[in-house]
Amino acid sequence: MRPRIPDNPLAIVRNLGILAHVDAGKTTVTERMLYLAGATYKRGEVHDGTTVTDFDPMERDRGITIFAAAVSCAWDGHRVNLIDTPGHVDFSDEVERSLRVLDGAIAVFDAVAGVEPQSESVWRLADRYGVPRIAFVNKLDRAGADLDTAVESIRRRLHKAPLMVQLPIGQEDRFTGVVDLVRMRALVWADGVCSAGPVPEDLLAQARRRRRLLEESVAELHAGALEEFCARPSISDETLAGALRDLTRSGAGLVVLCGSAYRDRGIEPLLDAVVAYLPSPLDVPPVRGEDGAERAADPRAPLAFKVNATATGRLTFVRVYSGTMRKGDMVLVTGLGTGAERTERVSRILRVQADRHTEVDLAVAGDIVAVVGLKSARLGTTLCAPGAPLVLEPPSTAEPVVSVAVEARRSTDADRLASGLARLAEEDPSLAVRTDAETGQTLLSGMGELHLEVAVDKLRREHVMDVRVGRPQVAHRETVVRGVSGLLYRHVKQDGGAGQFAHVVLDVEPLDGGDFEFASTVVGGRVPREYVRAVEAGCRDALADGPLGGHPVTGLRVTLTDGATHPKDSSDLAFRTAGRLGLREALRASAMQLLEPVVEVTVTVPGDAAGGVLGDLAARRGRISGSSARAGTVVITAVVPLAEVFGYATRLRSRTQGRGTFTTRPAGYAPAR
């Protein structure tokens, strides 16, 4: 057991996340890392509900990760802060919030399935934030596992240069270890114990060939390695390791390791790779505020990245980017919107191990900790020294696409329901709560059916409330198919005192590949510039509800071509009103089309059930986009309206005797059929 090392310098800290498609083995990888590093005394299992990071009852009931959990451990003199992220598409926002504050990541892939749909989604999120990654191909002990095929899918679908630094020893149920191609040694596991030795004779020729291929691939990408490759027969181990570290941190190459987390094989070299290749907080660029100011080492600029309500009160999870935060310090909370700032006191600082907390006196740069006592901090706000204010860019939030009607069974619980829903939306900004103006119903919107199911379950458990839930409704949109030209709208109001006068002439046309564009071709000063901006604001107001069913309008271009003003009665308000009412009239005169959200569905089924599944997808208005055979199964890809996916899990299980699985990811909007 390696000792825990408190208060490490920045150079020996690693902040990383575990990213993958659902059921690729992220949580099991995390559990094995914690166990081998001595942070836990026994191995947790997902199927037994005994894992450290999936501690919430809802996660254990479903056997999946729903909430990102922070844990830490020590390995080889380094402190490793880990965040186990969800793999289900409904919780992509949770992944993005985590990536916003991480310095590196481990991407876990299934050795049978390779790169799966959600693998691509979380990979793109990591690309957006420039997070360096290494890859771990898991489940090499499964039937049909093939490392080369999985690596080729990484090259083909993620467009990365995979650098295989290991060679498996044995296949499927005979997988017992790996050959370390960097140090040219064999690592074999027996009864959970790793032993190092020489490369087996029957694999020596293949290992040498793979090592040569690795050197060639690295030399193509790294100038220092290329120089040594040309000058000497081979690249030295030290140069190769240094080049792999540089390529990982720059994103030019992807180090690929392999193993079986469930069988305790391959985790020790994975931890070694985390320490050797992924960056410390010193190796990443300085954090940059919205005003362009950078903070590198001294000024205090911690970032609140998650607000979590617990039984003992509010916990604000904080990534400390620079400086030192002590218990009792006063911090400035910025990024609250509309320029608001508040000063608050940090009453307690907690070192977090999933659902267990240890109180500490201070947190230094590179730490991920929880803070107690902050009332105004929200997800994405910035905490900084009062004398050195800074606002960091918050993580973006996707627009909800599915809604359910929620109401309390007892009328006396109406206020408690409103409070509980407000708390849910505060903790998870990808949830939205609103009241339908026509029906008076309270609508809870989220990223998918499972997302809403979890939110309602949390409402019932934590707030001890009996609620009724209506059938999920999808968020439709409206768009312009054929617009109008030269629509004149006159807004004249005279009821005593100052009047309102505004004339506008609008052209409306469809816009491909965008939501909304506004332009003005008015000449001669007939509509002053400040009034043009007011017309645009009014047009944006009108997009909130379209003529077909009151749904938001998208995909149109509006051009202000002419107008007229009054020397006394024209104003910003008058032209904003004219823009809003004029565009509404123009939309009623245009040919409109209803859009519905669609998702890309990837279904994996046994070959003998493929025909029935294809027919069922067609009945659900799905458009088949591809199918392929893989290891005795058929993988079908289709684009299906989101409304038709509700309840599909039960239907698929019945058609395939429980052997079929499917995943979804948003694919935008399409005309409703």
Side-chain angles (χ1 to χ4, degrees), residues 142-384:
R142 284 185 59 193
D146 190 318
L147 177 61
D148 288 335
T149 301
V151 170
E152 181 55 34
S153 71
I154 293 173
R155 187 193 311 276
R156 186 179 67 256
R157 300 185 64 174
L158 302 182
H159 308 290
K160 292 297 293 183
L163 304 171
M164 294 174 58
V165 298
Q166 292 178 342
L167 173 68
I169 299 176
Q171 291 184 331
E172 300 179 350
D173 58 349
R174 297 187 301 277
F175 170 69
T176 59
V178 298
V179 174
D180 179 357
L181 298 177
V182 177
R183 300 186 183 179
M184 288 303 288
R185 59 176 181 166
L187 301 174
V188 179
W189 284 267
D191 299 323
V193 178
C194 177
S195 59
V199 179
E201 287 294 331
D202 58 331
L203 287 176
L204 189 56
Q206 185 181 2
R208 287 172 175 165
R209 185 171 66 254
R210 295 284 184 126
R211 164 68 183 234
R212 188 64 177 177
L213 290 174
L214 175 62
E215 292 179 359
E216 292 174 356
S217 299
V218 169
E220 290 179 0
L221 301 170
H222 191 276
L226 176 61
E227 184 178 346
E228 186 168 320
F229 184 78
C230 295
R232 299 176 54 183
S234 64
I235 300 176
S236 67
D237 296 354
E238 293 74 16
T239 301
L240 183 59
L244 291 172
R245 179 174 59 252
D246 293 342
L247 294 174
T248 298
R249 296 177 182 182
S250 68
L254 178 68
V255 171
V256 180
L257 301 97
C258 61
S260 169
Y262 182 69
R263 304 291 180 190
D264 300 312
R265 296 165 190 169
I267 302 302
E268 292 94 331
L270 178 60
L271 279 164
D272 290 337
V274 165
V275 168
Y277 304 134
L278 290 179
S280 74
L282 290 176
D283 300 317
V284 297
V287 65
R288 182 186 294 269
E290 290 186 341
D291 60 354
E294 294 185 348
R295 299 287 172 86
D298 291 333
R300 184 176 304 150
L303 172 68
F305 78 96
K306 183 181 177 186
V307 177
N308 182 31
T310 67
T312 57
R314 181 194 301 275
L315 287 182
T316 303
F317 282 75
V318 173
R319 160 67 194 268
V320 186
Y321 278 107
S322 58
T324 301
M325 180 170 58
R326 294 178 175 84
K327 184 169 64 173
D329 277 354
M330 298 298 294
V331 295
L332 182 67
V333 184
T334 64
L336 294 171
T338 65
E341 296 179 350
R342 293 188 182 180
T343 302
E344 298 198 44
R345 184 179 300 278
V346 176
S347 60
R348 298 167 64 201
I349 301 174
L350 305 176
R351 184 82 64 193
V352 181
Q353 195 75 350
D355 59 339
R356 302 192 304 274
H357 313 127
T358 304
E359 190 163 350
V360 295
D361 292 330
L362 56 85
V364 299
D367 278 339
I368 295 177
V369 295
V371 175
V372 180
L374 303 181
K375 296 181 180 179
S376 60
R378 298 291 183 267
L379 189 146
T381 55
T382 305
L383 311 181
C384 52

Side-chain angles (χ1 to χ4, degrees), residues 329-561:
D329 277 354
M330 298 298 294
V331 295
L332 182 67
V333 184
T334 64
L336 294 171
T338 65
E341 296 179 350
R342 293 188 182 180
T343 302
E344 298 198 44
R345 184 179 300 278
V346 176
S347 60
R348 298 167 64 201
I349 301 174
L350 305 176
R351 184 82 64 193
V352 181
Q353 195 75 350
D355 59 339
R356 302 192 304 274
H357 313 127
T358 304
E359 190 163 350
V360 295
D361 292 330
L362 56 85
V364 299
D367 278 339
I368 295 177
V369 295
V371 175
V372 180
L374 303 181
K375 296 181 180 179
S376 60
R378 298 291 183 267
L379 189 146
T381 55
T382 305
L383 311 181
C384 52
L390 181 74
V391 180
L392 300 179
E393 179 187 359
S396 60
T397 301
E399 186 178 359
V401 295
V402 185
S403 301
V404 291
V406 182
E407 65 179 20
R409 290 188 181 273
R410 296 189 297 270
S411 59
T412 54
D413 286 340
D415 291 341
R416 290 181 59 227
L417 175 63
S419 175
L421 290 172
R423 177 63 66 86
L424 287 178
E426 178 186 324
E427 296 173 15
D428 184 357
S430 57
L431 290 171
V433 181
R434 64 183 178 89
T435 301
D436 189 287
E438 295 183 2
T439 65
Q441 288 182 310
T442 299
L443 300 181
L444 178 64
S445 304
M447 302 308 299
E449 197 172 6
L450 178 61
H451 189 204
L452 293 177
E453 180 186 319
V454 167
V456 172
D457 195 2
K458 190 174 184 180
L459 187 68
R460 288 170 173 156
R461 293 191 189 209
E462 296 187 1
H463 297 270
V464 195
M465 189 179 303
D466 191 9
V467 297
R468 281 196 295 260
V469 180
R471 175 177 170 80
Q473 299 295 318
V474 299
H476 288 84
R477 295 287 183 271
E478 299 177 24
T479 191
V480 175
V481 177
R482 186 179 64 257
V484 295
S485 298
L487 185 135
L488 171 63
Y489 186 83
R490 296 182 176 90
H491 175 64
V492 180
K493 186 177 181 182
Q494 192 72 44
D495 52 3
Q500 294 185 27
F501 181 96
H503 289 191
V504 295
V505 180
L506 302 176
D507 288 352
V508 177
E509 58 185 324
L511 174 64
D512 293 332
D515 295 330
F516 174 73
E517 283 186 7
F518 181 87
S520 172
T521 59
V522 177
V523 295
R526 292 179 60 81
V527 179
R529 182 175 301 176
E530 61 270 21
Y531 293 162
V532 171
R533 289 195 293 266
V535 174
E536 179 180 359
C539 290
R540 291 187 182 276
D541 294 341
L543 300 178
D545 50 350
L548 295 182
H551 308 292
V553 182
T554 186
L556 74 160
R557 179 187 289 110
V558 177
T559 305
L560 176 65
T561 60

